[in-house]
């Protein structure tokens, strides 16, 4: 499968714990995006990378959230001191750049904070 | 603040019906509008529209952008139960390749 992959697919954690998610983009895509989606809402932008450079972070992204893409390939999203409000589906997408810029999404990581 | 509004929020039809889903937007430096289909998983890409008045078509699905009215429609003809999904509209700003702003989505249910 050459699509975007994410790991884990599901994560249940207790409030206050740290969690880390991984995203592997389509291999030739140099832009990588993170979104969060809650029930009944469309995805909400969190941050994106061009290779290893983080180009934009949403102002909604609190300092408990950090994302990295150290070698310009896979990316990790870490949430520290999780809160119940962090429960959501975390989606990763990738796109070629330059190009037509269509973003292709991975299957998501569903986070439940108890 | 950038905004994307979809209507209706939900729609129930019978197989064979034709449906029209609406998307309107208010964003600065508009570049393109994208449609995605989301079943019980990640959104899958349908169309990207950058030019006004040019219809994009894929099988029974088609979409058109109206830059003057800041809107787009997604048409599905001869609906099938497999078309049941959430249809998401998203807008991208210039210079391109940056974040997408999504609407809430339209939940389409096609009954046999």
């Amino acid at each position: 499968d050459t699509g975007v992959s994410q790991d884990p697919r599901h994560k249940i954690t207790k409030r206050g714990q740290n969690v880390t998610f991984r995203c592997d983009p389509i291999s030739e895509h140099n832009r990588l995006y993170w979104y969060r989606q809650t029930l009944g809402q469309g995805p909400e932008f969190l941050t994106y990378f061009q290779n290893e450079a983080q180009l934009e972070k949403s102002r909604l992204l609190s300092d408990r959230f950090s994302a990295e893409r150290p070698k310009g390939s896979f990316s990790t999203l870490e949430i520290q001191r999780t809160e119940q409000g962090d429960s959501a589906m975390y989606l990763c997408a990738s796109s070629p750049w330059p190009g037509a810029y269509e973003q292709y999404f991975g299957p998501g990581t569903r986070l439940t904070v108890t | 603040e950038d905004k994307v509004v979809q209507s209706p929020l939900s729609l129930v039809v019978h197989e064979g019906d034709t449906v029209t889903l609406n998307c309107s937007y208010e964003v600065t430096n508009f570049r393109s509008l994208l449609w995605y289909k989301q079943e019980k998983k990640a959104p899958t890409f349908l169309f990207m529209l950058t030019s006004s008045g040019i219809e994009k078509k894929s099988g029974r699905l088609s979409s058109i952008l109206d830059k003057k009215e800041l809107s787009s429609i997604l048409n599905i003809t001869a609906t099938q139960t497999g078309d049941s999904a959430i249809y998401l509209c998203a807008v991208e700003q210039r210079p391109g390749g940056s974040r997408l702003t999504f609407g809430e989505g339209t939940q389409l249910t096609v009954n046999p």
Side-chain angles (χ1 to χ4, degrees):
Chain A
D1 190 337
T2 57
V4 178
S5 62
Q6 292 186 244
D7 184 70
R9 297 290 305 276
H10 303 273
K11 178 72 177 179
I12 300 173
T13 192
K14 292 186 177 177
R15 190 175 53 186
Q17 297 294 305
N18 299 345
V19 294
T20 300
F21 310 141
R22 175 178 171 129
C23 171
D24 287 87
I26 294 170
S27 59
E28 61 269 27
H29 287 183
N30 47 17
R31 288 211 168 174
L32 185 150
Y33 311 79
W34 285 99
Y35 292 85
R36 175 173 64 191
Q37 186 175 27
T38 53
L39 199 62
Q41 300 296 316
E44 174 186 51
F45 171 77
L46 295 178
T47 188
Y48 84 100
F49 294 84
Q50 162 86 14
N51 299 316
E52 64 275 9
Q54 190 172 23
L55 296 188
E56 186 180 357
K57 286 169 55 174
S58 168
R59 63 181 183 276
L60 302 173
L61 205 65
S62 80
D63 56 7
R64 296 184 299 106
F65 287 70
S66 63
E68 292 183 338
R69 195 182 181 198
K71 296 182 181 178
S73 56
F74 72 91
S75 174
T76 57
L77 177 68
E78 181 183 17
I79 309 174
Q80 296 182 326
R81 305 181 302 283
T82 52
E83 302 172 356
Q84 287 191 317
D86 298 331
S87 295
M89 175 75 87
Y90 289 83
L91 294 166
C92 176
S94 70
S95 74
W97 187 88
Y101 309 136
E102 298 102 336
Q103 293 182 22
Y104 294 90
F105 283 82
T109 294
R110 181 165 295 284
L111 173 67
T112 302
V113 182
T114 61
Chain B
E1 186 179 326
D2 301 330
K3 194 162 63 171
V4 178
V5 177
Q6 293 186 244
S7 64
L9 292 181
S10 68
L11 189 57
V12 180
V13 300
H14 292 289
E15 261 192 323
D17 288 350
T18 293
V19 298
T20 298
L21 309 183
N22 300 284
C23 176
S24 63
Y25 60 90
E26 289 179 33
V27 297
T28 53
N29 300 317
F30 172 87
R31 180 187 178 273
S32 68
L33 185 144
L34 297 88
W35 285 97
Y36 287 85
K37 176 182 182 182
Q38 186 173 29
E39 296 166 276
K40 292 187 189 298
K41 51 186 180 178
T44 54
F45 173 77
L46 295 175
F47 298 113
M48 171 183 266
L49 303 154
T50 55
S51 300
S52 197
I54 297 177
E55 185 182 50
K56 291 229 172 167
K57 203 169 168 67
S58 176
R60 296 175 294 101
L61 277 66
S62 65
S63 183
I64 195 160
L65 175 66
D66 186 339
K67 283 187 175 178
K68 188 176 175 185
E69 297 296 326
L70 306 182
S71 65
S72 174
I73 58 171
L74 176 68
N75 282 319
I76 308 174
T77 59
T79 51
Q80 302 171 357
T81 55
D83 295 327
S84 295
I86 296 171
Y87 290 83
L88 293 164
C89 172
V91 172
E92 182 197 30
Q93 295 165 283
R94 293 188 182 280
S98 63
R99 60 183 160 88
L100 297 177
T101 302
F102 282 85
E104 287 183 65
T106 293
Q107 171 75 64
L108 174 65
T109 302
V110 182
N111 290 325

